[in-house]
Amino acid sequence: MAQPQEVLPESEIEEEVEEEEEEKGPAPIVYGIPTDSLEIVEAEIKRGESLSEILSHYNITPAQVDQLAKKSKGIFNVRGIAANRSYTLLHALDSAQTAQYFIYEPNNIEYIVYDLRCEMTVTKVEREMEVLERTLAGEIKSSLFESIVAAGGSPQLVNKFADIYAWRLNLNRIQPGDKFKLIYDEKVVNGTTIGFSNLKAAFFEHRGEPLYAIGFDQGDGVSYYDQEGKSLKKAFLKEPLEYSRISSRFSKRRFHPVQKRYKAHLGTDFAAPRGTPIRTVGDGVVLEARYTRGNGYYVKIKHNKTYTTQYLHMSKFAKGMRAGKRVKQGQTIGYVGSTGLATGPHLCYRFWKNGKQVDALSAKLPLANPITKKHRSEFEEIKEETVKRMEAIELSNAKQDMLATNEAKKPEDA
């Protein structure tokens, strides 16, 4: 008679499990380079670290780096490698770990490929950039800046919005409950927003009164117009600096800090850090771009028969700035400094009307040109479409993604 077999508890049963070899997928392709026979090292440039120092750890000599720098001339200066920027190094799998490629990203759009094999080559590649149309809407809770940023906008977008409306509205007097809507293009690389490229249209409701800003090009660049086709901007910007504070106003009698005496100060001083870009307040032709003992480096611009402006104490001129050069409103003409009779970095801004110096901040300035008869019908079509789209944007949707405009810019991304 067969003996009954002993039944063991499940915990004591040893299961034979066949060990399956883990299947490895193909090696990744990095910046278009197959890495099946390479090791990938990803890091950031440390403060004070040079290309030569990084590559010395991977069997690349200073003589080879010097050769690389010569081949890189005109493409990217190897001395321009900056701290905290990303790089990728691909080296051989042998014990020497000799570097085969070094890839550096100077910004979010470009990357530089240093091929360290044999002849050595240097290539600059620009990533594909998408331009996506976005909408943004919200209600003023505190300041304009905080409200637009809270709705999903950027400081850059706030500045553009403020520039457009600055001549029609006192943005320091906006109230809680005022509403805004924007339609704009956003630049995206690798799924990351790197900035905005174009504000197409805006809407602002102040104290229940709506004011549209409709972008339209009459042949000399995009300007912004209200519902009636009138320009939202004056023929001149209010201030020649984007970020500044008024340190001294126009005065018939002011104590001069250098000459130590009272005299007329027929200009407006704007305090700003050295190197801050100075922009011309209107279109015009440069009359003078030179140096004098009192004014330092300065630029004087004739805008038309009525208006002329001058910008004093620059640290340097913008490239190409010279007498006879045509300039456009908002164009950088120089940089804040303290040359001439100045105690510190600032801009002295002077304004002439009919040959007489006047206070630029209180002068009544003309509007820029309205929509012309030639472009009226085209503008009306765009206005009608813009108004419909703005009415469809809900304030509760702070930021809505729209369709890509399919503006692919450059070759394939990494």
Side-chain angles (χ1 to χ4, degrees):
M1 185 174 176
Q3 295 292 323
Q5 292 184 351
E6 184 180 0
V7 179
L8 296 174
E10 283 187 15
S11 60
E12 295 182 21
I13 296 176
E14 291 185 5
E15 293 185 4
E16 290 186 12
V17 180
E18 289 186 8
E19 290 187 10
E20 295 182 2
E21 286 190 12
E22 189 177 324
E23 289 187 14
K24 291 185 178 179
I29 295 176
V30 178
Y31 297 95
I33 304 165
T35 61
D36 50 337
S37 60
L38 298 170
E39 184 73 24
I40 303 170
V41 177
E42 295 178 324
E44 287 186 351
I45 307 291
K46 297 175 184 174
R47 185 174 295 278
E49 195 172 34
S50 66
L51 179 61
S52 181
E53 186 179 349
I54 294 169
L55 295 180
S56 67
H57 299 295
Y58 296 92
N59 207 23
I60 301 296
T61 67
Q64 288 175 295
V65 174
D66 183 59
Q67 183 186 352
L68 199 63
K70 289 176 182 175
K71 294 202 171 188
S72 183
K73 193 173 181 181
I75 300 172
F76 183 79
N77 187 343
V78 296
R79 292 182 180 177
I81 285 177
N84 302 320
R85 295 303 307 177
S86 299
Y87 73 84
T88 299
L89 188 141
L90 307 178
H91 68 74
L93 296 174
D94 56 21
S95 58
Q97 295 188 339
T98 303
Q100 304 293 299
Y101 296 92
F102 179 83
I103 303 97
Y104 172 69
E105 300 197 14
N107 52 58
N108 293 329
I109 299 176
E110 301 173 326
Y111 59 90
I112 316 297
V113 179
Y114 296 93
D115 186 338
L116 307 171
R117 305 168 301 165
C118 301
E119 297 298 319
M120 293 192 175
T121 59
V122 181
T123 309
K124 179 165 71 174
V125 181
E126 290 193 22
R127 290 187 167 102
E128 181 180 303
M129 181 172 67
E130 288 183 289
V131 177
L132 306 178
E133 188 179 81
R134 309 288 198 193
T135 66
L136 181 149
E139 188 173 301
I140 300 298
K141 301 295 183 183
S142 51
S143 70
L144 177 69
F145 181 91
E146 291 173 350
S147 300
I148 291 182
V149 170
S154 66
Q156 187 186 13
L157 197 58
V158 177
N159 288 333
K160 182 66 175 178
F161 183 89
D163 272 347
I164 291 171
Y165 280 97
W167 286 111
R168 289 291 190 93
L169 299 172
N170 185 339
L171 296 176
N172 292 318
R173 293 184 180 177
I174 61 175
Q175 299 176 327
D178 287 349
K179 301 173 180 65
F180 58 86
K181 298 179 181 180
L182 295 85
I183 301 173
Y184 64 100
D185 285 336
E186 190 172 73
K187 295 185 286 188
V188 178
V189 174
N190 269 3
T192 301
T193 299
I194 62 169
F196 87 97
S197 60
N198 179 33
L199 180 56
K200 293 182 173 181
F203 166 87
F204 195 76
E205 183 182 301
H206 177 58
R207 294 182 177 178
E209 292 292 325
L211 179 60
Y212 283 87
I214 301 162
F216 189 81
D217 188 350
Q218 297 197 88
D220 54 357
V222 173
S223 292
Y224 296 89
Y225 304 88
D226 65 14
Q227 303 94 303
E228 298 176 6
K230 295 178 181 177
S231 177
L232 260 72
K233 74 174 185 178
K234 298 286 187 180
F236 301 97
L237 298 175
K238 265 188 174 180
E239 299 179 356
L241 297 177
E242 194 165 351
Y243 305 103
S244 63
R245 65 177 177 83
I246 297 171
S247 55
S248 181
R249 293 182 178 272
F250 184 95
S251 173
K252 294 293 179 69
R253 190 172 185 271
R254 184 198 72 158
F255 186 75
H256 196 285
V258 176
Q259 297 178 326
K260 305 298 182 185
R261 63 187 178 89
Y262 285 95
K263 59 183 293 189
H265 181 245
L266 304 181
T268 305
D269 287 351
F270 295 90
R274 178 183 174 85
T276 300
I278 299 167
R279 55 188 183 178
T280 172
V281 295
D283 298 350
V285 177
V286 176
L287 291 177
E288 299 175 60
R290 62 193 187 96
Y291 178 90
T292 64
R293 187 167 173 268
N295 296 341
Y297 290 105
Y298 74 92
V299 172
K300 192 170 186 178
I301 297 172
K302 183 178 180 65
H303 301 285
N304 51 37
K305 292 180 180 179
T306 306
Y307 298 102
T308 301
T309 56
Q310 189 179 22
Y311 313 78
L312 282 59
H313 308 306
M314 295 178 173
S315 59
K316 63 177 182 179
F317 302 129
K319 187 176 180 181
M321 202 54 50
R322 62 186 181 279
K325 182 178 177 65
R326 287 199 162 275
V327 291
K328 298 288 289 181
Q329 185 181 80
Q331 180 178 335
T332 298
I333 57 173
Y335 302 88
V336 169
S338 54
T339 57
L341 293 178
T343 56
H346 75 285
L347 168 69
C348 178
Y349 170 51
R350 298 189 174 188
F351 194 92
W352 282 263
K353 183 176 181 179
N354 294 320
K356 181 182 178 182
Q357 281 190 260
V358 297
D359 184 355
L361 300 184
S362 62
K364 188 175 181 180
L365 300 174
L367 285 172
N369 295 329
I371 295 293
T372 62
K373 290 182 180 178
K374 177 183 175 182
H375 296 98
R376 173 59 69 172
S377 61
E378 185 184 355
F379 172 76
E380 289 296 331
E381 288 179 15
I382 292 175
K383 180 186 80 172
E384 187 177 340
E385 180 188 348
T386 299
V387 170
K388 285 180 181 177
R389 292 189 64 188
M390 287 293 186
E391 288 175 346
I393 299 172
E394 297 180 13
L395 290 177
S396 57
N397 296 334
K399 190 175 184 181
Q400 307 164 8
D401 288 1
M402 306 292 283
L403 294 176
T405 57
N406 295 321
E407 295 182 25
K409 296 288 183 184
K410 289 283 179 182
E412 272 187 22
D413 190 8

